[in-house]
Amino acid sequence: MAAIPTDVFFASIPELNQRLVAKEFKAEELARAFALRLADLGPRYNALALPLHQEALRQGKAVDQDLKIDRRRGPLQGIPFGVKDLLSFAGQPTAWGAKPYAGQVFDYNATVVDQLFGVGAILTGKLAMVELAGGGGYRMASASVSGPGLNPWDRSRWSGGSSSGSAAAVAAGLVTFSIGSETSGSIITPASYCGVTALRPTYGLVSRHGAMALSWTLDKLGPFARSAEECGLILHVIAGADSKDPGSANTSFYYTPSYARPFKDLKVGYAAVDFADRAEEPARAAFQAALIALKESGVTLVETRLPQFPYGPILSTILAGEQASVFEPLIASGKVDQLSDKAQIAGLKASLELPAKDYLKAMRLRSLIQQDFRQLFTQVDVLLAPGRPGPATPIDQPLDQGGFQPAAGTPPGLQGIIQAGNLAGLPALVLPCGFAGNLPVALQLVGAPLSENLLLAIGRDFQKRTDWHKRRPPPL
Amino acid sequence: MKLTRRELAAALAVTAIPPAAAQTEQRDEMQIARERLKSNSDQLAQQQVPMAIEPAFHFTA
């Protein structure tokens, strides 16, 4: 048996696939090494929900059989990955990060799991998450049956949520890539805090069949990896129409970043204040340097403002209405009280009292938001903002207290872009762009619906000229 | 261990306190959650939406 060198845990998807095809090691050996590493280190970041050692070895053997007869299934063949524990994997527990659902087992796979199996990717484990993907609104990072997600760069800091394990596991080299989900910020935040690259696809581009529903009109699944290039390779596999997902956009996606428009023709809308006075002081130097690096690609940065709407209240209202319907049986049964976070329990219970008129008003405002964003994207090609205004927060800091507040009178910048992007169903790409002290910070690029190739092309170019995405957290 | 009736009553009284405290805490959290819904509702009420604008979901049969 070949020894697996430690550098493979941080190798890219194309590199790992190339080494497998070159028979430097077998897929089964790679699967074993990653599965052991995930089972060993995953709990130390509270990133592991369920190890799948035996299943991974079985899949590894199957990949080796394929490679033996030269049956190639693309760059993800033999690559170890993990999925957020809101995705079903037949016959294994899917707890949605929450005690009331511990032991829940489905008899079918989520569509994305089947799609990844179809190209020979190897599932080594299910990854921890904030309970019910944060439905109800949680106050503490500890709102998970797995405990608070610990940041691989500094375990006294939060990994972000709700896709906490999906981001931390990639950052720590426990999986090569992972799948997470976003309803409002659950991909953007943990990717930014953990220093990994991640993509929130256009609403409906990736099937959610087999995923826990939190909000039917907001939920999206997306990849976490080291680079934009890898996110493109993963999206190429998991995107596409699915009759089992009523929200499917019924469109396909082919990763073709080389066909992107010339960068000199691109206008990138941003607000300078987001990278200065609205950013936390320790992160500002990194953000300023990232702006310079982005400009070097030839794009033109233009000052922009978002359409004016109360994005937060609109999103919260829609989410309240849909989560109330999704989790009504949980609330009515009283099992909701088994959740870890008191604020979340109350938020779920209170959401049953949301007036229908408020939900409908919010959904009508959403139509106006979509109209205004269509107009905005006739003036700029993409929007640019910090992923988060600063680095990961301390693990015990309440999420509704003690956060950074810019000085009174500071212009709004693109404040609310996470909620706005989710309300309009827009894709977003998170790119690590430097450090504030020992903690990573990131950019987010937001585009028009189905503009993933453009975002990925800009991200790929940015990562050719920077190496933030290649940095590794300190070993345990 | 033998307990007198008085000791038993005292012990039960102590164990009864946490659930009561938890209920109070839960009521406070409910109050906060309801106030948030109300605040959101008030902000939505300030927004004017033309009658022709339909909700942003579509039903296909």
Side-chain angles (χ1 to χ4, degrees), chain A residues 139 310 313-314 316-317 342-343 345-346 349-350 353-354 357-358 361 363-368 370-371, chain B residues 25-26 29-30 32-34 36-37 40-41 43-57:
Chain A
R139 178 172 297 129
I314 294 170
S316 295
T317 301
K342 300 283 181 265
I345 295 168
K349 289 178 177 175
E353 301 167 11
L354 182 82
K357 71 172 178 62
D358 285 353
K361 179 80 172 277
M363 289 297 270
R364 294 171 69 208
L365 284 163
R366 196 175 182 184
S367 294
L368 295 178
Q370 287 179 299
Q371 283 179 19
Chain B
E25 186 187 3
Q26 192 66 36
E29 293 287 4
M30 282 301 292
I32 293 167
R34 285 182 176 128
R36 191 177 301 121
L37 284 183
N40 289 340
S41 181
Q43 290 188 66
L44 294 187
Q46 291 170 18
Q47 302 290 312
Q48 301 296 316
V49 185
M51 187 188 290
I53 300 297
E54 297 189 6
F57 49 77

Side-chain angles (χ1 to χ4, degrees), chain B residues 6-20:
Chain B
R6 183 171 295 175
E7 286 168 338
L8 181 63
L12 287 174
V14 168
T15 56
I17 288 170

Side-chain angles (χ1 to χ4, degrees), chain A residues 25-113:
Chain A
F25 36 73
K26 289 184 174 180
E28 184 187 357
E29 292 164 347
L30 190 66
R32 178 181 289 110
F34 266 99
L36 287 173
R37 183 174 166 88
L38 178 61
D40 178 27
L41 300 183
R44 298 176 69 182
Y45 300 110
N46 292 336
L48 180 62
L50 181 73
L52 292 167
H53 190 99
Q54 293 306 319
E55 291 76 3
L57 294 186
R58 198 163 49 242
Q59 293 168 58
K61 279 180 192 166
V63 170
D64 287 329
Q65 288 298 321
D66 277 351
L67 292 176
K68 203 172 174 181
I69 57 173
D70 218 20
R71 184 183 287 156
R72 305 285 172 83
R73 297 182 188 273
L76 301 192
Q77 188 173 22
I79 306 300
F81 75 103
V83 296
K84 187 174 181 176
D85 194 30
L86 56 52
L87 290 165
S88 61
F89 177 43
Q92 296 288 343
T94 299
W96 300 344
K99 190 178 173 189
Y101 296 99
Q104 170 179 246
V105 176
F106 295 94
D107 62 357
Y108 59 89
N109 291 344
T111 294
V112 291
V113 170

